Amino acid sequence: MEAAAGTERGQLFLRSLLFLLLAGSPAPRPVQGQLRYAVPEELEHGAFVANLGEDLGLDVSTLSARRFRIVSRAGARQHLEVNLENGILFVNERIDREEVCEAGGTCLLHLQLLVESPLELYRVEVEVLDINDHAPTFPWQEYVLEVAESAVLGARFPLESAQDPDVGTNSVHTYRLSPNSFFSLEVQTRSDASKFAELVLERALDREQQRVHRVLLTALDGGVPERSGTAHILVTVLDANDNVPAFDQPSYGVSLPEDAPAGTLVIQLNATDLDEGPNGEIEYSFSGHAPPRVRELFHIEPRSGQVLLKGPLDYERASLHELYVQAKDRGPSAVAVHCRVLVHLLDVNDNAPEVTLTSVSTPVLEDAPPGTVIAVISVLDRDSGDNGRVSCEVGPDVPFELRSSFRNYYTLVTTQPLDREVVSEYNISITARDMGSPALLTRSTLTVPVSDVNDNAPRFLQPSYSVYVMENNAPGASICSVSALDPDCQQNAYLSYSIADGHIHGMPVGTYVSINSDSGHMYALRSLDYEQIRSFQIQVQAQDAGFPPLSANVTVHIFVLDQNDNAPVIVSPMPRNGSVATELVPRSAGPGYLVGTVSAVDADAGLNSHLSYQLLQATDFTLFSVAPDTGELRTLRSFLEQDATRQRLVVQVRDGGQPPLSATMSLLLSVVETMPQTLSDFSEFSLPSEASSSSPVTLYLLVSLGSISFTFLLAILILTAIRCRGERHSHQGDGCSPPRCHCCPGSRPSSDGLKTSNLMVQPPAGTMAPTCLYVAGGGPPGYCYKVCLSPESAQSDFMFLKPCSPPRNNEKDPRKRSQPGQHLQVSKQIKQPNMDWLPPSTQRPALKRYQIQHCGNRWSG
């Protein structure tokens, strides 16, 4: 046995070597970027397959260092191996093609080659070529064939087929029959190209002469060298059952719907036998030519001949089934007759269309033009005819449509412009419906997101904003917040806020307010003063971060609310040279005599500027009184001899704010026997205590002094008028408009004259004239007052700045004192009076005298 096995392996090796010599060395064949080799099966260990190192262009000397190897699955047999010394692919163990590839066709071994440093992966296919290493074999070594002696010439007897696991030409090629005088052999080919043999009776049989005939059936393959297998056929001649069944026709055709249920009658076969008894009883069965698939799907009732459906049919898998049926009687020497039944399947609409998205381009820009291709869709229906014809459509109310490019392919395109702010995502229902009856359909949903485009400008929540800010606010405090919305998304909706360039009373708007670019919160950069600026407006811009950026503007109106931060300022009477104000009162004055009027102004507004007067201190409270609303100082009774000739009064002026602010003044009244005609109310002329005498010398002296004073004051007025006229002409020559040059008493400045940021009052060089600031009041025409400065102080700048906290009870703030060379705070001196305060007509002469005398004193001083 061992010797025989060795001889067999030697012969197999020689045949393989001969095959390689005939076929040539296996040259590499690149297949789609990979190498492919061919090697015959059954080669011994170490047989050469290919030189991988040379074919892959690798350095053979580095294969071992780079760990060149074949990567295989765990547990898989390693049929091939690589020699790391020379890069040759060789047979590691014997390859049996029939074992490796049980199915027919091309047998391929897929190798994954891995090399490191650098890591590279190669794919190699090795085709295992079939060699004729198997001989055909029969299921049995001996067959018994019973043939009636009455068999007619030409009768055919199908024989069992031989099997050969080899493929192609190495499989069963033909059959041969040993020489005899009764039978011949015909080789038939099935539809799958397999061969089978039929024994044909060539000479009538005679049982009495020869009861048994022995023939040898040989099956040959087409390999080189040729291999064969044999089977002995024992033909037994039976006694005369000389009639065989006969079918109505040799071939039958029937149509059957593919959805027919199991048990359905396919066809009723009918065969007849003229014999009687058992020789005439017919049994039906599948012949040996029937393939296994037919036996799985169909069943034949042996006695009735009914062909019944056994398994499910599928038109898409096979539209025709070929059944080989044989009929044989039950008599001795029964002869089987054959017929063919062709079962044609009728297609049933049992397959719904299949929808496949072959290409999808999402998301789609919202500004994509109509006709933009979103997806390519393919539909398939495995049915045939009308059942396989498919129509495709999209759901209603979507801006998309399907366009048929060619059969079973559609493109999904837009039909109108998209708007992400209206619909940010579309769920498109695609319906594929065939033409069958009943029609089958398939719905598939495609989600198409719409990407944003910066096509929406920001929009503020309000058309405009009105903000009310209390004056004296802390710098840096938040005053309001603006907000805008942008229906876009992501960076197109990210907003930044800014303030448009502009000026507020000559100053950049950025010096007044700022804004947080992210939140829109606005902050005051300075403390606002109601007396300087009562309202202003700014433009706020909101801009998104899109490209190109879009923006929107809104107007913010800021109104400054008044706060009682200005104490009343007494403008009449004024002290002379730092002393108290004086006034002459005739001793003959009776009750109700108007001594004078205390006049004051308050730069605040509303109740904060409503002033009331009261008498705080007096030498004799029973002698004088002050009107709370007008400030008129009157006598309560007539003077008595015991009344002092000098009466000292302290008058307080209080505003109506909360908390109220006040100012006080001291007034020294001198009681005289007679009043000088040149002096009027609250003159600055003070008399000695001896002035009460009725000496004529005193009277003359008073008249002379009054005349001189009147002449001096008149000269001062004339010089002042000339001075102011010259300054007005100089300002007009420099481009200054009359409302801004507040020097001339004859001109009427606007109410905003004191509200400019920097008011420079500069006398011409080389002059020592005093500088007077003319301030218009809020009362009737002609009401005004002046602030007169010395030449040194006139060189300072006026800056209208508000203190952080208002003074209380006429408290002096040391920070408000004007230093030489620094800005003079007008709020410390005299602010513009409120327009709502109207002084009574009785105050106007006193105010006028105050202007003349005060300016004259300052100049003369």
Side-chain angles (χ1 to χ4, degrees):
M1 293 296 293
E2 294 180 357
T7 302
E8 179 68 19
R9 286 196 298 270
Q11 293 176 355
L12 181 61
F13 178 75
L14 291 176
R15 289 196 298 271
S16 301
L17 183 60
L18 178 62
F19 180 84
L20 288 175
L21 292 176
L22 293 176
S25 61
R29 293 179 293 167
V31 179
Q32 297 180 356
Q34 63 186 10
L35 296 178
R36 185 169 180 176
Y37 303 94
V39 61
E41 62 174 332
E42 302 294 343
L43 291 181
E44 296 293 334
H45 174 76
F48 174 83
V49 177
N51 192 337
L52 291 178
E54 179 180 346
D55 296 339
L56 296 177
L58 301 176
D59 187 0
V60 178
S61 61
T62 62
L63 294 180
S64 179
R66 296 181 64 184
R67 299 185 63 191
F68 184 60
R69 62 189 183 276
I70 298 176
V71 181
S72 58
R73 299 190 309 271
R77 298 178 62 179
Q78 193 75 20
H79 296 285
L80 301 174
E81 191 56 80
V82 179
N83 189 333
L84 298 181
E85 296 180 356
N86 51 22
I88 292 177
L89 181 67
F90 63 90
V91 177
N92 186 43
E93 62 178 23
R94 186 180 64 86
I95 304 174
D96 187 354
R97 182 188 179 283
E98 288 73 30
E99 179 182 354
V100 175
C101 302
E102 298 180 359
T106 304
C107 181
L108 296 176
L109 295 179
H110 299 279
L111 303 181
Q112 303 290 337
L113 302 179
L114 184 66
V115 61
E116 299 180 359
S117 301
L119 184 65
E120 296 178 344
L121 183 66
Y122 302 96
R123 185 176 181 183
V124 177
E125 288 185 352
V126 178
E127 180 181 357
V128 180
L129 303 176
D130 183 49
I131 64 173
N132 194 18
D133 56 341
H134 294 88
T137 57
F138 289 93
W140 297 279
Q141 294 297 318
E142 185 176 86
Y143 292 94
V144 176
L145 180 62
E146 294 179 347
V147 180
E149 62 177 336
S150 59
V152 297
L153 298 179
R156 297 173 178 270
F157 306 97
L159 304 177
E160 289 290 339
S161 301
Q163 302 294 327
D164 191 333
D166 293 328
V167 295
T169 58
N170 295 329
S171 62
V172 176
H173 180 64
T174 187
Y175 293 89
R176 292 177 184 173
L177 191 65
S178 60
N180 65 90
S181 57
F182 290 92
F183 300 97
S184 65
L185 192 67
E186 287 191 7
V187 179
Q188 303 290 339
T189 303
R190 298 189 182 97
S191 59
D192 59 353
S194 61
K195 305 294 182 63
F196 67 95
E198 289 183 338
L199 198 63
V200 181
L201 182 62
E202 299 290 344
R203 181 180 174 184
L205 298 176
D206 189 351
R207 181 180 178 276
E208 287 71 25
Q209 293 182 2
Q210 186 177 355
R211 298 179 59 181
V212 177
H213 299 270
R214 295 182 179 272
V215 294
L216 180 64
L217 179 63
T218 303
L220 301 173
D221 59 23
V224 178
E226 185 180 67
R227 286 176 170 269
S228 62
T230 59
H232 294 278
I233 299 177
L234 183 62
V235 180
T236 302
V237 180
L238 301 178
D239 195 18
N241 181 15
D242 53 354
N243 291 292
V244 297
F247 285 98
D248 297 341
Q249 54 192 45
S251 179
Y252 297 87
V254 64
S255 297
L256 189 67
E258 63 171 325
D259 61 346
T264 300
L265 176 64
V266 179
I267 191 173
Q268 174 68 59
L269 297 178
N270 185 28
T272 58
D273 193 328
L274 299 178
D275 294 329
E276 294 182 353
N279 294 332
E281 296 177 358
I282 301 174
E283 290 184 349
Y284 302 88
S285 63
F286 286 112
S287 67
H289 311 309
R293 176 64 178 168
V294 171
R295 298 177 185 270
E296 294 175 0
L297 296 177
F298 301 96
H299 168 70
I300 298 179
E301 288 292 334
R303 301 303 296 273
S304 63
Q306 291 181 343
V307 180
L308 303 177
L309 184 60
K310 180 180 178 182
L313 303 175
D314 191 353
Y315 177 87
E316 288 71 36
R317 183 173 180 180
S319 60
L320 175 66
H321 293 282
E322 190 174 4
L323 283 63
Y324 292 93
V325 181
Q326 68 180 10
K328 184 171 64 173
D329 58 29
R330 302 181 64 185
S333 305
V335 177
V337 293
H338 300 81
C339 75
R340 186 176 65 170
V341 179
L342 298 178
V343 180
H344 299 272
L345 297 186
L346 300 177
D347 185 38
V348 175
N349 193 22
D350 58 344
N351 292 285
E354 299 175 2
V355 178
T356 304
L357 300 176
T358 59
S359 177
V360 179
S361 177
T362 57
V364 59
L365 291 175
E366 63 174 323
D367 62 348
T372 301
V373 178
I374 305 303
V376 178
I377 301 170
S378 64
V379 294
L380 174 65
D381 195 318
R382 292 185 297 168
D383 294 324
S384 62
D386 290 341
N387 297 332
R389 285 197 291 270
V390 181
S391 64
C392 202
E393 61 185 12
V394 296
D397 302 328
V398 293
F400 302 93
E401 67 177 3
L402 289 175
R403 295 179 182 175
S404 178
S405 52
F406 49 92
R407 180 177 174 82
N408 292 337
Y409 280 86
Y410 298 85
T411 55
L412 180 67
V413 299
T414 59
T415 59
Q416 64 187 38
L418 306 178
D419 191 348
R420 189 205 65 82
E421 289 70 39
V422 177
V423 179
S424 61
E425 184 178 86
Y426 291 92
N427 292 319
I428 305 173
S429 176
I430 303 173
T431 303
R433 181 181 287 103
D434 59 27
M435 302 299 178
S437 180
L440 299 180
L441 58 87
T442 299
R443 285 190 175 92
S444 179
T445 301
L446 173 62
T447 300
V448 178
V450 181
S451 61
D452 186 47
V453 173
N454 192 24
D455 57 348
N456 290 280
R459 180 175 56 85
F460 283 93
L461 299 183
Q462 299 180 20
S464 64
Y465 291 83
S466 296
V467 181
Y468 297 90
V469 181
M470 185 67 69
E471 66 171 331
N472 300 319
N473 58 290
S478 175
I479 58 176
C480 70
S481 176
V482 297
S483 180
L485 296 178
D486 194 321
D488 294 323
C489 67
Q490 296 180 356
Q491 69 173 11
N492 295 331
Y494 177 78
L495 301 181
S496 61
Y497 300 90
S498 62
I499 297 177
D501 294 336
H503 290 80
I504 301 175
H505 291 278
M507 297 292 289
V509 68
T511 62
Y512 279 83
V513 291
S514 67
I515 191 169
N516 188 306
S517 60
D518 295 326
S519 63
H521 290 288
M522 297 180 61
Y523 304 91
L525 297 182
R526 60 170 61 186
S527 181
L528 301 178
D529 190 349
Y530 175 83
E531 289 71 38
Q532 295 181 20
I533 181 170
R534 298 191 177 187
S535 66
F536 59 91
Q537 65 182 25
I538 59 175
Q539 292 288 328
V540 176
Q541 182 185 73
Q543 179 173 291
D544 58 30
F547 183 81
L550 300 178
S551 62
N553 294 337
V554 70
T555 302
V556 180
H557 301 274
I558 299 178
F559 299 93
V560 182
L561 301 180
D562 183 45
Q563 190 179 33
N564 191 25
D565 58 342
N566 292 285
V569 177
I570 299 175
V571 298
S572 175
M574 293 295 290
R576 181 181 179 182
N577 296 329
S579 62
V580 297
T582 61
E583 180 60 30
L584 300 179
V585 182
R587 185 175 290 276
S588 60
Y593 175 78
L594 177 61
V595 179
T597 303
V598 179
S599 300
V601 294
D602 194 318
D604 292 324
L607 291 177
N608 296 330
S609 64
H610 181 73
L611 303 179
S612 61
Y613 303 83
Q614 64 176 347
L615 191 62
L616 288 183
Q617 298 177 11
T619 304
D620 188 352
F621 279 99
T622 63
L623 188 56
F624 300 98
S625 67
V626 176
D629 296 328
T630 62
E632 293 179 349
L633 181 62
R634 295 180 182 273
T635 58
L636 294 177
R637 59 178 176 80
S638 299
F639 287 95
L640 304 177
E641 291 297 333
Q642 62 270 22
D643 291 333
T645 59
R646 287 180 178 270
Q647 298 287 332
R648 185 179 184 86
L649 306 178
V650 177
V651 180
Q652 182 187 57
V653 184
R654 181 188 298 266
D655 60 25
Q658 290 295 331
L661 301 179
S662 62
T664 58
M665 67 161 293
S666 297
L667 179 62
L668 183 60
L669 300 180
S670 298
V671 182
V672 296
E673 296 297 334
T674 59
M675 290 290 294
Q677 296 181 358
T678 58
L679 297 178
S680 59
D681 297 341
F682 287 170
S683 67
E684 295 181 357
F685 181 77
S686 60
L687 297 177
S689 57
E690 294 83 3
S692 59
S693 74
S694 58
S695 172
V697 178
T698 302
L699 180 60
Y700 296 150
L701 194 58
L702 289 176
V703 172
S704 301
L705 183 59
S707 300
I708 295 172
S709 298
F710 178 79
T711 304
F712 183 74
L713 290 177
L714 182 61
I716 289 177
L717 287 176
I718 295 173
L719 291 177
T720 302
I722 294 173
R723 176 66 175 173
C724 290
R725 183 183 300 275
E727 287 183 355
R728 181 175 60 184
H729 292 326
S730 65
H731 284 304
Q732 290 178 353
D734 294 336
C736 178
S737 60
R740 296 178 63 94
C741 300
H742 307 299
C743 291
C744 298
S747 63
R748 291 190 60 193
S750 64
S751 60
D752 294 336
L754 289 179
K755 295 184 180 180
T756 56
S757 298
N758 290 303
L759 181 60
M760 300 293 297
V761 182
Q762 181 71 27
T767 62
M768 297 298 292
T771 302
C772 298
L773 176 63
Y774 186 91
V775 181
Y783 171 69
C784 60
Y785 62 89
K786 288 187 177 181
V787 176
C788 298
L789 305 175
S790 66
E792 291 79 13
S793 62
Q795 296 177 0
S796 300
D797 296 338
F798 284 91
M799 285 193 64
F800 295 94
L801 301 178
K802 292 287 294 182
C804 293
S805 60
R808 303 298 184 192
N809 298 327
N810 203 20
E811 183 179 66
K812 294 184 179 179
D813 190 351
R815 291 178 295 178
K816 297 183 180 179
R817 296 175 181 173
S818 175
Q819 300 293 333
Q822 295 181 351
H823 295 287
L824 179 63
Q825 299 182 1
V826 176
S827 61
K828 176 65 179 174
Q829 303 296 325
I830 300 176
K831 290 191 177 181
Q832 181 179 354
N834 185 268
M835 296 180 182
D836 298 335
W837 180 78
L838 298 178
S841 58
T842 56
Q843 288 181 282
R844 299 176 188 173
L847 289 175
K848 185 174 182 181
R849 290 195 304 273
Y850 162 73
Q851 294 170 3
I852 298 173
Q853 295 170 4
H854 186 63
C855 290
N857 293 336
R858 292 294 301 272
W859 193 6
S860 62

